[in-house]
């Protein structure tokens, strides 16, 4: 317990498996009270330990007000590597309120021998490229990103997401609802069954969905890989859960600056 006899409150922006692990490791802290925020975009989310808040904040301004009203001492952003909007809002809100801010980002996937990767800067670039690469695409980029491909008419898509996409599907598409983790053998069978000749993915990192990368390598299928948005400048970032946990614990123990 802190010298004032009150547990210090910190905000964990979650929604990832690593965010749940971080919340779990801090759940028994005597000095720290972790509030995990989930965006609420998945219908059946996996709940972390401890206090949970669901829904948006109303942009950077709304988050600034919430941080002040809830006496938040630090914010750890452990959202998806492609959740650029909440990352931007969080960094701006913390700067405006002088609340310490750091990020956890799981390491990206790295190209391995035998991989055929076609890096692209964003989803629009991927949509432009895919017709030049194949005619039967396995689209695994999350439900919110699917509408970027709604104008691609000469490619058949197998679209996989946890929940139905939030916008229009490509003209020629089949929807598959599934949640990882996936295994390599099943991914190989899926790609063979559907005659997949190109995979489209974000470089999300982690083990939950890496099997599609390994399966594409095994089948010599090219992979269009959307590169990650950059981490905001001058922001402390961790690529291990232990580093992120230690950073938050410092605020409970009073050793943080």
């Amino acid at each position: 317990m802190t010298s004032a006899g009150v547990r210090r409150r910190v905000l964990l922006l979650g929604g990832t498996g690593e965010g749940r692990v971080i919340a779990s490791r801090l759940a028994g802290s005597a000095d720290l009270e972790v509030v995990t925020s989930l965006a609420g975009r998945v219908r059946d989310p996996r709940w972390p330990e401890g206090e949970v808040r669901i829904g948006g904040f109303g942009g950077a301004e709304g988050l600034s007000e919430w941080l002040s009203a809830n006496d938040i001492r630090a914010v750890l952003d452990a959202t998806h590597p492609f959740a650029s909007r909440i990352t931007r809002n969080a960094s701006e809100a913390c700067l405006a309120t002088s609340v310490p801010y750091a990020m956890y980002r799981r390491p990206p996937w790295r190209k391995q021998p035998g991989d055929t990767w076609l890096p692209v800067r964003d989803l629009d670039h991927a949509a432009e490229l895919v017709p030049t690469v194949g005619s039967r695409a396995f689209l695994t980029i999350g439900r919110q990103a699917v509408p970027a491909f709604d104008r691609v008419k000469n490619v058949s898509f197998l679209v996989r997401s946890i929940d139905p996409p939030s916008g229009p599907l490509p003209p020629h598409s089949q929807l598959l609802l599934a949640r990882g983790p996936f295994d390599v053998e099943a991914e190989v069978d899926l790609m063979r069954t559907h005659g997949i000749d190109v995979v489209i993915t974000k470089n999300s990192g982690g083990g939950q969905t890496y099997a599609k990368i390994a399966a594409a390598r095994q089948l010599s299928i090219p992979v269009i890989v959307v590169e990650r948005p950059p981490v905001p400048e001058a922001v402390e970032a961790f690529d291990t859960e232990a580093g992120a946990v230690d950073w938050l614990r410092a605020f409970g123990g009073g050793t943080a600056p």
Side-chain angles (χ1 to χ4, degrees):
M1 193 70 67
T2 64
S3 57
V6 178
R7 297 165 73 203
R8 293 190 172 99
R9 286 167 62 82
V10 297
L11 177 65
L12 173 61
L13 300 174
T16 59
E18 294 85 0
R20 291 191 296 274
V21 170
I22 292 168
S24 176
R25 291 186 180 179
L26 295 169
S29 173
D31 300 320
L32 210 59
E33 182 180 350
V34 179
V35 181
T36 298
S37 175
L38 303 179
R41 292 173 181 155
V42 177
R43 289 186 298 182
D44 185 22
R46 293 172 176 170
W47 291 83
E49 292 188 50
E51 183 178 343
V52 177
R53 179 193 179 280
I54 300 289
F57 292 93
E61 183 177 352
L63 179 54
S64 296
E65 295 174 356
W66 192 91
L67 295 176
S68 299
N70 287 271
D71 192 26
I72 298 298
R73 303 299 183 90
V75 175
L76 178 71
D77 180 351
T79 56
H80 191 276
F82 283 83
S84 55
R85 180 179 299 177
I86 184 59
T87 292
R88 181 174 61 252
N89 290 341
S91 61
E92 291 177 2
C94 289
L95 183 62
T97 55
S98 298
V99 173
Y101 170 78
M103 299 175 66
Y104 166 82
R105 284 294 179 266
R106 68 177 77 121
W109 296 320
R110 301 293 184 189
K111 185 178 179 182
Q112 303 296 320
D115 285 334
T116 302
W117 281 16
L118 304 172
V120 294
R121 60 185 176 274
D122 54 30
L123 293 167
D124 288 337
H125 188 188
E128 292 172 4
L129 181 61
V130 63
T132 70
V133 180
S135 61
R136 297 186 65 82
F138 185 22
L139 187 61
T140 63
I141 53 173
R143 70 184 185 92
Q144 291 186 301
V146 171
F149 295 82
D150 66 353
R151 66 183 185 275
V152 181
K153 297 183 172 65
N154 53 347
V155 175
S156 296
F157 290 89
L158 175 64
V159 180
R160 184 170 69 191
S161 61
I162 297 174
D163 293 324
S166 53
L169 291 166
H172 307 289
S173 59
Q174 177 180 348
L175 179 61
L176 174 63
L177 299 181
R179 186 199 294 266
F182 304 101
D183 65 70
V184 177
E185 184 178 354
E187 295 288 69
V188 167
D189 288 344
L190 182 69
M191 293 183 197
R192 281 177 171 161
T193 298
H194 290 271
I196 299 300
D197 57 12
V198 58
V199 175
I200 308 168
T201 183
K202 296 176 178 178
N203 192 342
S204 301
Q208 287 278 88
T209 61
Y210 181 75
K212 63 190 172 189
I213 302 294
R217 181 190 310 132
Q218 183 173 324
L219 295 172
S220 299
I221 294 174
V223 183
I224 297 175
V225 181
V226 182
E227 297 176 338
R228 294 182 175 194
V231 172
E233 292 185 12
V235 169
E236 188 167 13
F238 303 96
D239 61 6
T240 66
E241 296 154 4
V245 167
D246 288 344
W247 185 80
L248 284 174
R249 278 181 175 150
F251 293 94
T255 59

